[in-house]
Amino acid sequence: MNEDKRLFLLDGHALVYRAHYAFISRPLINSKGWDTSAITGFVRTIVDLINNQKPTHLAVSFDMPGGTFRDEWFPAYKANRDAQPEGITFALPWIVKILEAWNIPILTLERYEADDVIGTIAKKAEKAGYKVYMVTPDKDYGQLVSPNIFMYKPGRQGNEVEIWGEKEVCENWCIQRVEQVVDMLGLQGDSVDNIPGVPGIGPKTACKLLEEFDTVENLLANLDKVSGKNQERLREFAEQALLSKKLAKIDIEAPIHFDEGNYNLDPFDHEKLSAIFKELEFRALAKQILGEGEEAAPTKTAPSKGQQGNLFGDDETVPVKRAAPPLPAHSVAEKNIENTPHEYHLADTPEKRAALIAQLAQETSICFDSETTNIDANLAELVGLSFSIKPHTGWYVPIPADQKEAKAVVDEFRPIFENEKIEKIGQNIKYDALMLKWYGVQLKGTWYDTMIVHYLMEPELRHGMDYLSETYLKYSPVSIETLIGKGAKQLSMRDVRVERVAEYAAEDADVTLQLRNYFAPKLKEEGLQELYDTMEEPLIKVIVDMEFEGIRIDGDYLREYSVELGRSIAALEQKIYEDAGMQFNIASPKQIGEVLFDKMKIPYKGAKTKTGQYSTDEAKLAELAAEFPFVAEILNHRGLSKLKSTYVDALPLQVNPKTGRVHSSFNQALAATGRLSSNNPNLQNIPIKTPEGAKVREAFIPRDENHVLLSADYSQIELRLIAEISGDEAMIEAFQKGQDIHRATAAKVYGVPYEEVTSEQRRNAKTVNFSIIYGAGATNVSQQLGIKRTEAKELIDNYFKQYQGLNSYMEKTVEGARENGYVKTLLGRRRYLRDIDSRNSLARSVAERVAINTPIQGTAADLIKAAMINIHRALGATDLTTKMILQVHDELVFDVPNDEVDKVKPIIEELMRNAIPNLKVPILVEMGTGKNWLEAH
């Protein structure tokens, strides 16, 4: 066998489907609205193969349209499959073009499947001295494996590539030799290909039968040795078992010739592949494969280009669901600073700065940006300021490193920044405003943030400046890496020659101004101008002040608590070892699975992971914990360890040395529902439902002994809003009477008086109430309540009989989403749903759940945002010194002087209750105060 001859045969359709479904909940969409998920994933598979496996020969096989010879044996073969998803239908012609440009041969054969083509070529190539790798996620190929033919299963979502030889095939199929794969399929069947098998015989039974009888034929010849129902089933379905085995067998003598010269890995056609990648907007892949252009730049030293919405890093397409036509956009950036006329000036003397300031003072609108030393504005120092007042022009003002001198230069621009009559334009302007605030300057007037504007129009796309520029201006800005490098050798912006920084920084302001000019009419056309003016723009100012304030934490308390948690974790560890009768790595999912299901023989339900391991994720362990205390111990250990590392140990390290406080960053352009999120630290994920997690909130304390924390929390806000939005009379009446909604629901669903509802009935009703909001069905409810699915379905059916207005709302909302391509909140925030009419049932059902849930979640987000704005204004209009310091989910937290508590409570409650006026459903706000956040909540 020649080790230098390595042939890789790719199962085209299987890999395209795999790539498509890897992004099913967040498809990759380019600026034209094209779903490029399958294309991207498929191309990356080839790139990974070529780079990591170094094949000498390569080919891809696809199924041909129409039937195969197997349909003649069994007309229902593969008849149960869903219609091909639109994303795959769109992808296949592009993939063929890419393969042709790449000079990779495509193998097809009428009336034969790709499996047969690959099987035939693999066996012929093996005889010609090749090592053959069949690239597919399909386990059925195991029947072809030999000493020189292998299955190559591409990795996904952090899993490593798997290469299966004969040993791995036998282990995964529970067989003694690879030829028995078809016997297994003959008995257990294959629901994917609609191979019937023998009803009632699953993998475990099939494994035992083949261990004893070796083949289906031998098993059927010895049925008298099989006991019980299995014998009955096999006698009744003997012919079906033989047919199923026949259907499952891959034909290795298909009429296709193996000419090894055709499979050479030849150089690609650079021009053709480049044109295709440009059309698809594959910038990152173009750079990786063709060495063309630049990938989208990472976040700048200061994130003034606004990268908050980029969930997939530098991917060339973005995760999104969209139904409405995309905004007009160019296909790919081709221009850059080197070949675009521009006038950028360096204002590096007092005279030049004075001239610039005089010019800016004459404008009604200016665009500006800041260059800094850190991505955290609360830690950074200014390196420079850039300005633009018309396209293709800009100025850069260097700021001295000496902070006294720096403040003096910034102060020169105070009349511009604090002029209420001048509109300020920026990209992620929150960052720049926060920087100025640290230099004693307030950014006043109206703010136009291109990042937030784009977020309103396209909530699920990326919002970074580079992406926006390339998409809408057909312009590729200078990458930050060209200035400061990356990784361990990355420079500070102060280390770069000022003339180079001037070009880079002035370009930022210039491009942002051009984006503003592009977006301004679009925002009005989309009907979103009012939402920006009345909510998103004022909210930026609220967040700036909130982040600037930060919150004090008790570091000593956390350090003591860390020791206490460490002891609890260690004690729990010893208990787990004793109960298991052995020591093992509790942090290893693989070892946990082996201990639980192999050593302790706890029954395992469900499929294994892609790597053939037992699943031990939180959902699986929680499912077993109620029945097996040992599993509960492991789950508890995992929770405590995460709590200690993520919060208890990490929070003291996040205290700002300048303020002694923690300054969380609140993201306004990330969640498609409109909700704020937080990071550094993420305060929304503290596990407060556990006693240990709740104690973390004790570490958040007022600024001094003369203050208290005040927490104001919306009560059952989403249920109240679904009652309001749906107009369901029964729900509205319950809230108007001040009833416990879960007890009221239980009374109606179970048909008992309100006063006689049991705790179990209330618990069940509560589960259904929240499940309905999030689109959960009978299966989910049955799992949550530990009841049969039929009981759960009956519970849900009774629920909708009582709340017919709610049922009608759901139907009308989905119908409206299909008609418009989007849903809206009460205040007009939109979310697009591109899969609402998908022929794929999974994608369609996901979109339907999003359609039902988004108006509720989005309106809840709008409600608390409006409350924040109104409270911020009200406090600013008084001489009160109370500060809003946190927003977490439906809760606001304030740092309040002791003598202001009674004054601010009614203000906060009133403005939260009436943030959206004239609602039929009363909004309830629960308030509390305390010497720490837990006590106040």
Side-chain angles (χ1 to χ4, degrees):
M1 186 60 54
N2 189 340
E3 292 291 340
D4 294 333
K5 297 170 70 172
R6 291 161 54 82
L7 170 63
F8 281 73
L9 299 171
L10 282 65
D11 183 345
H13 272 96
L15 293 173
V16 172
Y17 267 81
R18 169 185 172 274
H20 174 79
Y21 283 104
F23 297 99
I24 188 64
S25 62
R26 289 184 176 276
L28 303 178
I29 306 297
N30 67 12
S31 70
K32 301 172 183 177
W34 296 354
D35 182 346
T36 61
S37 307
I39 310 172
T40 305
F42 186 86
V43 171
R44 284 182 178 160
T45 296
I46 294 180
V47 172
D48 288 344
L49 277 175
I50 293 173
N51 289 344
N52 300 324
Q53 299 302 320
K54 312 297 183 189
T56 57
H57 298 71
L58 187 71
V60 181
S61 182
F62 288 99
D63 297 328
M64 291 285 283
T68 73
F69 62 86
R70 292 179 178 84
D71 299 311
E72 299 169 8
W73 303 340
F74 186 56
Y77 179 65
K78 292 192 175 181
N80 63 335
R81 292 191 172 183
D82 281 345
Q84 182 169 280
E86 293 95 323
I88 292 177
T89 302
F90 171 79
L92 285 170
W94 283 104
I95 288 173
V96 169
K97 287 182 183 179
I98 290 169
L99 291 172
E100 288 172 346
W102 213 326
N103 287 322
I104 294 174
I106 299 171
L107 310 177
T108 58
L109 193 61
E110 287 189 8
R111 297 187 67 252
Y112 288 83
E113 296 179 60
D115 314 38
D116 305 312
V117 173
I118 289 174
T120 300
I121 296 295
K123 294 299 181 182
K124 289 183 177 182
E126 181 183 32
K127 291 179 182 177
Y130 281 81
K131 287 269 189 185
V132 183
Y133 296 84
M134 303 174 296
V135 183
T136 178
D138 187 351
K139 286 174 61 179
D140 298 5
Y141 279 81
Q143 62 187 275
L144 301 171
V145 169
S146 73
N148 295 300
I149 298 177
F150 305 88
M151 281 181 62
Y152 182 100
K153 296 167 69 68
R156 185 170 65 187
Q157 297 178 344
N159 293 326
E160 294 183 359
V161 164
E162 295 179 60
I163 297 178
W164 286 11
E166 292 174 304
K167 176 177 177 288
E168 289 78 14
V169 170
C170 291
E171 287 177 352
N172 279 275
W173 275 101
C174 185
I175 53 181
Q176 287 73 53
R177 52 193 180 84
V178 296
E179 293 80 7
Q180 288 179 305
V181 167
V182 291
D183 294 282
M184 285 289 290
L185 290 167
L187 294 174
Q188 71 178 46
D190 185 348
S191 60
V192 175
D193 289 343
N194 204 32
I195 295 175
V198 178
I201 291 185
K204 289 184 179 179
T205 303
C207 176
K208 291 178 180 177
L209 290 170
L210 292 179
E211 186 177 5
E212 183 175 353
F213 298 102
D214 190 53
T215 67
V216 169
E217 291 82 358
N218 192 46
L219 168 63
L220 296 176
N222 291 277
L223 285 181
D224 56 321
K225 297 178 182 178
V226 180
S227 60
K229 289 185 177 180
N230 286 334
Q231 185 184 113
E232 296 174 21
R233 291 167 179 151
L234 288 163
R235 287 192 187 280
E236 182 179 354
F237 295 100
E239 289 186 11
Q240 188 164 294
L242 292 169
L243 172 62
S244 296
K245 177 176 177 178
K246 184 179 178 183
L247 289 169
K249 187 173 178 60
I250 294 172
D251 189 339
I252 59 171
E253 295 188 6
I256 186 168
H257 180 61
F258 174 60
D259 183 349
E260 56 187 301
N262 293 334
Y263 297 76
N264 290 330
L265 196 59
D266 294 326
F268 51 74
D269 187 319
H270 192 287
E271 186 177 341
K272 285 184 181 179
L273 204 54
S274 176
I276 295 168
F277 283 179
K278 281 185 178 180
E279 187 68 14
L280 292 168
E281 301 179 8
F282 282 3
R283 290 180 282 277
L285 284 171
K287 180 179 181 183
Q288 183 179 2
I289 299 170
L290 308 173
E292 293 182 348
E294 293 180 350
E295 295 184 66
T299 305
K300 294 176 57 177
T301 305
S304 54
K305 289 189 178 179
Q307 302 288 330
Q308 294 187 49
N310 181 0
L311 303 181
F312 275 68
D314 292 338
D315 279 358
E316 56 281 329
T317 44
V318 292
V320 66
K321 293 184 172 76
R322 179 174 177 80
L327 292 173
H330 299 289
S331 62
V332 68
E334 294 176 350
K335 295 186 291 184
N336 56 40
I337 196 169
E338 284 77 25
N339 56 29
T340 303
H342 62 278
E343 294 182 15
Y344 296 159
H345 309 280
L346 180 61
D348 57 352
T349 67
E351 294 76 19
K352 291 178 181 178
R353 291 197 298 268
L356 172 60
I357 291 167
Q359 189 164 354
L360 295 174
Q362 298 175 31
E363 304 295 326
T364 57
S365 180
I366 66 168
C367 184
F368 85 102
D369 189 24
S370 59
E371 302 303 329
T372 70
T373 60
N374 196 298
I375 61 172
D376 185 344
N378 296 300
L379 293 171
E381 294 178 2
L382 272 172
V383 175
L385 295 168
S386 57
F387 299 89
S388 183
I389 56 176
K390 65 178 181 179
H392 310 299
T393 66
W395 289 262
Y396 178 66
V397 181
I399 304 296
D402 180 88
Q403 288 305 287
K404 185 175 180 181
E405 295 176 17
K407 288 182 179 180
V409 173
V410 174
D411 204 54
E412 293 175 18
F413 289 85
R414 182 187 299 275
I416 303 299
F417 289 130
E418 296 190 348
N419 188 329
E420 298 269 6
K421 296 179 181 179
I422 300 177
E423 177 192 50
K424 315 303 187 304
I425 303 165
Q427 166 76 13
N428 189 15
I429 203 169
K430 177 191 78 170
Y431 182 92
D432 305 299
L434 197 51
M435 280 304 311
L436 292 176
K437 199 172 176 71
W438 282 105
Y439 283 79
V441 174
Q442 298 289 329
L443 190 65
K444 296 181 180 179
T446 58
W447 299 357
Y448 194 100
D449 190 330
T450 50
M451 180 180 77
I452 303 299
V453 166
H454 187 256
Y455 166 72
L456 276 181
M457 295 190 293
E458 297 282 0
E460 295 191 75
L461 289 182
R462 280 186 284 177
H463 315 294
M465 193 201 78
D466 290 349
Y467 171 77
L468 299 181
S469 178
E470 291 169 354
T471 301
Y472 300 104
L473 304 180
K474 201 178 181 184
Y475 181 90
S476 181
V478 173
S479 165
I480 182 67
E481 291 182 357
T482 63
L483 267 74
I484 64 174
K486 60 182 180 180
K489 295 183 179 180
Q490 189 176 67
L491 304 173
S492 166
M493 194 65 86
R494 288 204 193 280
D495 301 326
V496 181
R497 190 163 51 89
V498 71
E499 290 79 10
R500 293 190 68 206
V501 178
E503 285 281 296
Y504 172 81
E507 183 195 50
D508 279 1
D510 173 19
V511 168
T512 300
L513 178 66
Q514 292 183 54
L515 287 170
R516 189 264 187 192
N517 295 342
Y518 183 89
F519 289 148
K522 308 295 179 187
L523 192 67
K524 292 178 181 177
E525 289 171 15
E526 295 275 331
L528 295 167
Q529 185 71 55
E530 183 180 358
L531 186 62
Y532 178 81
D533 291 340
T534 61
M535 179 169 292
E536 296 300 337
E537 190 268 356
L539 185 67
I540 308 172
K541 298 170 180 177
V542 177
I543 294 173
V544 167
D545 286 350
M546 197 162 68
E547 289 188 12
F548 183 78
E549 286 298 324
I551 185 169
R552 185 180 168 210
I553 67 167
D554 187 340
D556 291 338
Y557 167 84
L558 285 172
R559 282 183 280 272
E560 291 173 8
Y561 188 33
S562 177
V563 174
E564 179 186 329
L565 271 179
R567 291 196 201 100
S568 299
I569 293 168
L572 189 55
E573 207 167 272
Q574 288 306 310
K575 177 74 163 55
I576 290 170
Y577 293 155
E578 290 172 11
D579 291 348
M582 62 177 289
Q583 288 197 5
F584 62 98
N585 183 0
I586 304 175
S588 166
K590 182 176 184 292
Q591 291 187 33
I592 287 176
E594 290 169 352
V595 169
L596 293 180
F597 307 116
D598 291 338
K599 184 177 186 301
M600 303 188 77
K601 304 300 182 185
I602 291 176
Y604 182 80
K605 298 177 182 178
K608 291 186 178 182
T609 67
K610 297 289 184 182
T611 57
Q613 297 176 15
Y614 295 110
S615 172
T616 58
D617 60 19
E618 190 166 345
K620 173 62 69 175
L621 295 185
E623 182 185 324
L624 297 169
E627 187 177 353
F628 301 98
F630 179 73
V631 180
E633 290 172 359
I634 290 177
L635 203 55
N636 190 22
H637 182 277
R638 184 178 288 180
L640 293 180
S641 299
K642 184 177 179 180
L643 180 69
K644 183 176 184 295
S645 61
T646 306
Y647 291 102
V648 180
D649 292 341
L651 278 171
L653 303 177
Q654 293 175 295
V655 173
N656 188 308
K658 292 195 294 186
T659 65
R661 298 161 74 82
V662 169
H663 299 262
S664 183
S665 177
F666 292 89
N667 297 329
Q668 195 176 344
L670 187 59
T673 58
R675 283 195 176 272
L676 292 178
S677 60
S678 76
N679 65 318
N680 298 322
N682 180 350
L683 301 178
Q684 297 189 344
N685 288 347
I686 299 175
I688 58 171
K689 291 184 179 180
T690 66
E692 295 86 0
K695 287 185 71 174
V696 173
R697 284 197 169 190
E698 283 192 53
F700 292 81
I701 57 178
R703 64 187 59 217
D704 55 41
E705 65 277 2
N706 298 319
H707 287 69
V708 293
L709 294 185
L710 185 153
S711 167
D713 197 359
Y714 282 117
S715 174
Q716 298 176 329
I717 191 60
E718 291 186 347
L719 287 173
R720 292 173 187 273
L721 288 175
I722 199 172
E724 177 72 32
I725 293 169
S726 69
D728 186 278
E729 294 179 1
M731 290 189 82
I732 292 173
E733 182 185 12
F735 282 121
Q736 288 177 338
K737 288 181 177 179
Q739 291 181 332
D740 172 356
I741 187 63
H742 304 311
R743 180 176 289 275
T745 298
K748 287 187 173 294
V749 170
Y750 288 104
V752 298
Y754 179 84
E755 297 78 12
E756 296 179 16
V757 170
T758 66
S759 58
E760 183 181 359
Q761 288 172 334
R762 183 188 181 279
R763 180 177 70 90
N764 291 353
K766 180 178 180 180
T767 299
V768 176
N769 270 330
F770 286 112
S771 296
I772 295 302
I773 289 178
Y774 292 103
T779 301
N780 184 279
V781 172
S782 69
Q783 290 173 348
Q784 288 191 63
L785 296 177
I787 59 178
K788 293 180 179 178
R789 190 181 182 282
T790 52
E791 293 178 47
K793 185 177 184 303
E794 185 179 357
L795 194 59
I796 292 173
D797 290 343
N798 288 340
Y799 183 94
F800 281 122
K801 285 177 185 176
Q802 298 301 322
Y803 295 121
Q804 294 183 16
L806 185 56
N807 197 31
S808 175
Y809 155 76
M810 291 179 171
E811 292 174 355
K812 288 179 180 177
T813 299
V814 171
E815 183 181 331
R818 289 206 168 95
E819 183 177 340
N820 301 316
Y822 60 83
V823 289
K824 295 198 297 185
T825 68
L826 284 181
L827 297 185
R829 185 182 304 279
R830 292 184 183 184
R831 186 170 185 182
Y832 295 98
L833 301 158
R834 63 177 300 279
D835 287 331
I836 196 69
D837 283 320
S838 174
R839 291 196 300 271
N840 180 270
S841 58
L842 174 61
R844 186 174 64 251
S845 65
V846 169
E848 289 171 353
R849 287 197 298 273
V850 171
I852 292 167
N853 176 247
T854 291
I856 303 159
Q857 273 204 334
T859 300
D862 290 343
L863 180 77
I864 199 163
K865 284 180 174 180
M868 292 169 70
I869 294 164
N870 295 338
I871 293 168
H872 185 260
R873 284 178 180 156
L875 293 176
T878 69
D879 58 359
L880 298 172
T881 59
T882 292
K883 302 293 182 184
M884 189 189 314
I885 55 174
L886 292 180
Q887 188 267 354
V888 178
H889 299 303
D890 302 317
E891 178 184 9
L892 298 177
V893 181
F894 302 83
D895 213 338
V896 187
N898 293 330
D899 59 0
E900 290 184 9
V901 172
D902 293 336
K903 297 175 186 176
V904 301
K905 266 190 171 182
I907 296 173
I908 293 168
E909 183 176 10
E910 173 68 16
L911 293 176
M912 287 183 72
R913 284 179 54 248
N914 296 297
I916 298 178
N918 304 318
L919 298 179
K920 294 179 183 178
V921 175
I923 302 300
L924 179 63
V925 178
E926 296 174 340
M927 305 180 75
T929 59
K931 287 298 181 183
N932 60 62
W933 189 8
L934 181 63
E935 190 178 307
H937 189 263

